[in-house]
Amino acid sequence: MTTGATAGAARLPGDPPGGRRAVLVWSVGVSVYFVAVIFRTSLGVAGLDAADRFHVNASALSTFSILQLLVYAGMQIPVGLMVDRLGTKKVLTLGVVLFTLGQLGFALSPSYGMALASRALLGCGDAMTFISVLRLGTRWFPVRRGPLVAQLAGLVGMAGNLVSTLVLARVLHEVGWTTAFAGSALAGVVVLVVMAVFLKDHPEGHEPEPPAARPGGGPGFVREQIALSWREPGTRLGLWVHFTTQFPAMVFLLLWGLPFLVEAQGLSRGAAGDLLTLIVLANMAIGLVFGQVVARHHAARLPLALGTVGATAAVWAATLAWPGAHAPLWLLVVLCVVLGACGPASMIGFDFARPANPPERQGTASGITNMGGFIASMTTLFAIGVLLDATGDNYRIAFSAVFVLEAVGLSQILRLRSRAARRERERLVASRVETVHVPV
C-alpha cells in the first residue's frame, strides 16, 4: 500500500479549492443524509412497538428492515449512475421527497402491508443520499481531504442515529406512534427547502464534463460505467471491506440490538437504550480517529479494517459463549464500543474504491462499494429472524450468523488485497509521470 505522503500530500491538477464555501455547501448535503439516517434507524428503537402494533413475529418484524435494505442495496448502482449523469442536487431532491413520504406513510399505516410499502419507499429515498454526499465531497474538496470528509459524513450519519436513540425513542413513548413518526417527517420538508436554496453541485470553474460529451451516452454508457468500475480490484476490495465491517453494528442498531439486550440479557429498556447510544458515541469518536489516520497514512487502511473485523468477532464470541444466563455489563459495554468501530471501518471501503476510479465514475464505484454492507446486513437480519423463530428465541444461536458473514467477507478481502495494491501503485506512478509532463 502507498503511504499517506505519496498518496495525498500533493495538490493535483484541477483539484477543488475547498474552503469555507465548500464546508457550507457540503454541510447542506450532509444535513440531508443526517435526516435520512434518523428515518432509516427509527425502526431500531421501535421494533418491539412495531411487533405489537402490527401483531407480527420475529421473522415478519425483520422483514421491515430486510425490505428497506433490499431496496437500498438494489438502488446503489442505479443511484451511482444517476449521480454521475444528473449531478448531486437533482438526485438528493428526489431522495428527500421519497424518504419523507415513506416516513409519513409509516406513521399512518393501518396495516402490516402498507407499513412494508412505506419502508420500501423510505429505503429508495435513503439510497440516494450517501452516494450523493460522497460525490459532493469529491467535487468541493481536494483529493487529500477525501478520507476525512468521508468519515465526517459517516459521523454525521451516526449523529442521526443518536437522535433516533435518544430523542425519537423518548417521543415515541410519550406521544405515541403516529404523532412521533409523522412529526419526524417534518424534518424532511425542512432540509428540502434548505437544499433548494443553498446546495450547488460544484464550485465555479470545476464543472464536470457534460454527459453528452462522453462517449456512449445510452445504455452502452451505463454498461461500460459498471463494467469499468467493477473491473478495478480496488472497487471490489472496497465492496468486500464494506461488506465485512459494517453489518454487525448495522444489524444491532437497525433492529436486533434492543430485543437482544432486553430479552436475552435482561436489561431494562433504559439501560439497553444507553448501550445503543454508546455504540453511536463510540462510532463518532472512532470515525474522527480513523479519518485522520487514513488521510495521513493510506497503508493503515487494511490493518484498520482487518483489526475491526477481528475485534468484532472476538468480542461477539466472548458475549455469546459467556457461561452464565447473561453476559456481565462490562462485557456488553466492550461489545458496544467495538461495534462503534464498524461504521468507521466500513468507510475505509470507499478509500479503496475512490483512487481506483476516475472522477466520472466516482458515483458508480461508490454505489458498488456501498452495496456490500447493506447486502450483508440484509442477509444477517433475515438469518437472525429465522433462527430466532426456529430456536424459540435463542439469541446465542441466532447471532452466530455474524461469524459466517465475517468469514465470507474476510476471505474475499485477503484474495483481492494484493491485486488492489499493485493496481494502485501503477496508477500512482502514472499520475506522477503525467504531473511531471504538465506544461507550465
Side-chain angles (χ1 to χ4, degrees):
M1 294 295 175
T2 59
T3 65
T6 59
R11 176 78 175 271
L12 298 179
D15 237 5
R20 292 182 179 179
R21 187 163 181 237
V23 173
L24 174 62
V25 174
W26 178 80
S27 297
V28 173
V30 170
S31 69
V32 176
Y33 178 56
F34 173 76
V35 174
V37 173
I38 294 175
F39 292 0
R40 178 201 303 171
T41 58
S42 57
L43 184 61
V45 297
L48 298 177
D49 300 85
D52 292 337
R53 179 179 177 86
F54 300 111
H55 309 291
V56 294
N57 61 13
S59 297
L61 181 60
S62 66
T63 302
F64 277 123
S65 296
I66 291 169
L67 178 61
Q68 182 180 334
L69 294 182
L70 178 63
V71 172
Y72 187 106
M75 287 290 294
Q76 290 308 293
I77 292 178
V79 168
L81 292 164
M82 288 171 63
V83 172
D84 286 337
R85 298 281 288 174
L86 303 177
T88 299
K89 187 169 184 176
K90 291 179 180 178
V91 178
L92 273 181
T93 299
L94 178 59
V96 173
V97 171
L98 292 178
F99 71 58
T100 301
L101 291 176
Q103 185 78 340
L104 183 61
F106 195 57
L108 304 176
S109 294
S111 66
Y112 176 68
M114 187 173 293
L116 276 178
S118 297
R119 295 306 286 186
L121 187 64
L122 191 156
C124 186
D126 181 19
M128 299 181 180
T129 58
F130 188 64
I131 293 176
S132 298
V133 170
L134 288 180
R135 174 64 173 235
L136 198 66
T138 62
R139 288 298 184 190
W140 280 91
F141 292 96
V143 170
R144 67 182 184 276
R145 299 295 184 192
L148 181 58
V149 169
Q151 287 286 356
L152 288 174
L155 186 151
V156 172
M158 291 309 297
N161 202 326
L162 193 62
V163 170
S164 290
T165 305
L166 294 180
V167 179
L168 187 59
R170 184 175 302 173
V171 172
L172 178 65
H173 292 102
E174 289 180 355
V175 303
W177 181 281
T178 301
T179 303
F181 280 97
S184 67
L186 292 175
V189 178
V190 173
V191 293
L192 180 62
V193 173
V194 173
M195 184 180 63
V197 175
F198 295 106
L199 191 68
K200 191 172 182 180
D201 284 348
H202 48 75
E204 290 80 3
H206 292 269
E207 294 81 0
E209 183 183 0
R214 298 173 189 160
F221 167 79
V222 172
R223 289 193 295 270
E224 183 181 25
Q225 285 283 92
I226 297 173
L228 290 175
S229 296
W230 182 255
R231 195 174 300 164
E232 291 291 344
T235 304
R236 302 198 301 277
L237 178 59
L239 179 147
W240 285 108
V241 167
H242 199 268
F243 177 102
T244 313
T245 54
Q246 187 200 48
F247 79 93
M250 176 70 71
V251 167
F252 205 78
L253 289 169
L254 200 60
L255 183 61
W256 290 122
L258 188 69
F260 170 76
L261 294 172
V262 173
E263 296 179 353
Q265 299 302 319
L267 299 181
S268 67
R269 282 199 177 206
D274 290 341
L275 287 177
L276 295 180
T277 303
L278 178 60
I279 297 176
V280 177
L281 293 175
N283 183 298
M284 297 171 72
I286 295 170
L288 287 174
V289 175
F290 278 19
Q292 293 283 358
V293 171
V294 173
R296 289 172 167 80
H297 309 284
H298 273 200
R301 291 173 296 176
L302 202 57
L304 287 175
L306 294 178
T308 301
V309 173
T312 304
V315 179
W316 259 123
T319 303
L320 297 179
W322 193 263
H326 301 144
L329 182 59
W330 67 264
L331 182 55
L332 296 177
V333 169
V334 173
L335 172 66
C336 290
V337 171
V338 171
L339 288 177
C342 291
S346 73
M347 298 299 298
I348 296 173
F350 298 101
D351 294 318
F352 287 109
R354 189 184 301 111
N357 293 271
E360 62 270 17
R361 289 207 308 267
Q362 288 295 318
T364 305
S366 296
I368 293 172
T369 301
N370 208 29
M371 288 175 61
F374 290 93
I375 291 174
S377 298
M378 178 177 59
T379 303
T380 310
L381 283 167
F382 176 75
I384 290 174
V386 170
L387 289 171
L388 284 174
D389 285 338
T391 61
D393 292 338
N394 188 321
Y395 280 89
R396 292 188 177 186
I397 295 176
F399 270 96
S400 296
V402 169
F403 304 118
V404 177
L405 273 292
E406 285 192 325
V408 171
L410 184 60
S411 67
Q412 294 300 314
I413 292 172
L414 297 177
R415 183 177 68 87
L416 289 164
R417 60 178 179 172
S418 297
R419 274 181 277 177
R422 182 170 60 252
R423 179 66 171 148
E424 191 168 300
R425 285 194 297 268
E426 292 171 356
R427 283 185 175 275
L428 179 61
V429 171
S431 67
R432 283 175 173 173
V433 172
E434 290 176 4
T435 302
V436 169
H437 289 88
V438 170
V440 292

